[in-house]
Amino acid sequence: MSTIQNQQLENVASTATPVYTLFESVVTETLDRDILARIGAGTLGAARVPGFFTTEQCDAVTKGLDTCDMGSYDEQLVQPRIAKLGPATYDYYGNVELPPAYWEHTEQSDASRAGLLHGGDPLDEAIRKLEKVWGGRVARATSKGRPMFAGMIREINAGAKMHFDEVVREFPGVVDDTPVCQIAFNCHLSMPSSGGESLVFRRAWKPSDEQHRDGYGYAESIVADEPYARVEAAQGDAIFFDPRNYHLVRPNTSEGRRVTLSFFIGITSSGELSIWS
C-alpha cells in the first residue's frame, strides 16, 4: 500500500499559529485546484493521487519504451546514471538561450513518446486530467515563442542526489511567461516493491549552500533538522510537490524499475498553467 508520511514535528512557533509545522502531506483520490495552489504557496509538502494512471496504461507505456532509445543526463556530472527520454532545460544551464540541439531533441522525443499509450501520447492523458482539475487550458511553456519540451520519461533505479529545481533562478529568462511558482509532477509508470522513495524537505536553496555541493547535488547534512515529506509511491500514483525545496530519491532495494512520466508545472501571473521538463 502506498503511503506518504511526513516527519512528526513539535510546533515550536512563538505564537499559536502552525507556521513551523505547516508542511503536511495529503493522499487524495481527487486532485483539486486548492491542492496545487497550496503546494505552490509552500504550505503543503506533497500530494499523492493514487491511480492517476491505470495499471494497464502504465504497463503499455513501459512496454513501448522497449522500442525507444533512452538517453541520459550528462554522465560526467550526474552519477549514478539516470536514463531519460527527452531533453531537460537542466541540460543547457549556462547557455544564453536554448540552442538548436534542444529543439532537435524536442522534436525527436515528442515523436518517440507520441505513440507509447496504445498509439497515443501519455502526456496528452496527463494534460487532460490537469485541465479538468484546474478548470482551464494547460499549455507548454514557451521560450522565444517556441513551445518547450514537456513530458520526460525517466528511469531512476540507483537514486538521485539531493538537489532543487527552480527554472527562474537557474536559467533566468528562458521561459517567456515567468511562473510565480513551480510544481513537480511525477506519475510512476513502474515501481520496485521496495525502495525508490522520495524525500521532500521544507528547505530552499540559499547562497551559502554552495560550499556543500556534491557534484550536481548537495550534502544531505544541510537539511538534517528540517521538516520533510516522505513519498512512497506505487505504480500509477502521481506525486506533486514544490521542487524549489530540496528533494532526493533513494535507490531501489528490490527487483523492478522506477520509471516516471515527469514535468514541471508553472502557475503564471495570469493564473494559467504552463508545463516544461
Side-chain angles (χ1 to χ4, degrees), residues 180-257:
V180 296
C181 66
Q182 184 171 335
I183 299 170
F185 166 89
N186 290 278
C187 185
H188 296 71
L189 304 173
S190 177
M191 283 294 288
S193 57
S194 63
E197 69 272 21
S198 300
L199 299 181
V200 184
F201 298 88
R202 190 189 174 195
R203 167 76 148 75
W205 176 89
K206 57 184 180 180
S208 60
D209 292 346
E210 289 305 297
Q211 63 185 306
H212 302 288
R213 261 209 177 265
D214 178 17
Y216 72 90
Y218 295 81
E220 294 181 26
S221 58
I222 63 177
V223 297
D225 298 319
E226 302 293 342
Y228 65 88
R230 181 184 181 89
V231 182
E232 297 179 351
Q235 185 184 42
D237 291 358
I239 302 296
F240 298 83
F241 64 90
D242 185 341
R244 296 172 299 181
N245 289 319
Y246 280 117
H247 55 282
L248 58 84
V249 178
R250 295 297 189 203
N252 298 357
T253 55
S254 66
E255 294 296 321
R257 303 167 64 189

Side-chain angles (χ1 to χ4, degrees), residues 114-183:
L116 292 181
L117 184 57
H118 304 303
D121 193 333
L123 177 63
D124 292 340
E125 178 70 5
I127 289 175
R128 181 184 65 79
K129 291 177 180 289
L130 285 175
E131 287 181 333
K132 184 177 181 180
V133 167
W134 195 250
R137 180 169 172 259
V138 176
R140 294 196 192 203
T142 62
S143 184
K144 305 292 185 183
R146 302 179 67 175
M148 297 170 66
F149 178 75
M152 180 183 294
I153 297 180
R154 299 186 296 181
E155 183 163 355
I156 305 177
N157 296 322
K161 293 180 180 179
M162 190 179 77
H163 65 285
F164 73 96
D165 301 284
E166 188 173 8
V167 70
V168 298
R169 188 179 300 279
E170 297 179 281
F171 202 157
V174 70
V175 179
D176 292 336
D177 192 355
T178 302
V180 296
C181 66
Q182 184 171 335
I183 299 170

Side-chain angles (χ1 to χ4, degrees), residues 2-8 23-27 46 48 198-200 228-232:
S2 300
T3 59
I4 300 180
Q5 299 175 336
N6 53 293
Q7 193 178 27
Q8 295 301 308
F23 198 68
E24 65 175 333
S25 299
V26 297
V27 180
R48 175 172 67 87
S198 300
L199 299 181
V200 184
Y228 65 88
R230 181 184 181 89
V231 182
E232 297 179 351

